[in-house]
Amino acid sequence: MLKGATVVSIGKLSNIEYVSDKELATRYGVVRQTIWRWVESEPTFPRPIRLTPGCTRWSLQAIEEWEHGRASMEKAG
């Protein structure tokens, strides 16, 4: 689990981990605005999920899948 990730239980069987724009910015060594720029300009970057008004997060699983996809593309290219 990413330090500070939010875990939300949905039903009895699943725990979904969410990360904030601040956590993503720290993960990639960029500022928060860059994360939002990627949302607008990078078609493969995972879309954020609005959990409540004023609370937008990304699925950690979707972020990790995106990272693996990019790593695979870099190896192939």
Side-chain angles (χ1 to χ4, degrees):
M1 177 191 299
L2 181 66
K3 182 180 178 183
T6 304
V7 178
V8 177
S9 294
I10 299 176
K12 294 181 180 180
L13 300 176
S14 66
N15 284 332
I16 300 173
E17 295 179 53
Y18 291 100
V19 292
S20 68
D21 57 352
K22 184 176 179 180
E23 292 164 332
L24 289 176
T26 299
R27 184 179 186 115
Y28 300 122
V30 298
V31 296
R32 292 172 55 205
Q33 292 85 345
T34 299
I35 300 300
W36 289 103
R37 211 172 297 125
W38 291 349
V39 168
E40 296 296 324
S41 66
E42 296 291 331
T44 61
F45 190 74
R47 300 295 117 199
I49 302 163
R50 175 171 256 169
L51 298 175
T52 63
C55 181
T56 303
R57 299 289 186 265
W58 283 259
S59 159
L60 181 57
Q61 179 180 353
I63 291 295
E64 289 173 343
E65 289 171 0
W66 177 76
E67 290 171 347
H68 292 296
R70 286 182 54 97
S72 296
M73 286 174 43
E74 287 177 6
K75 285 181 184 178

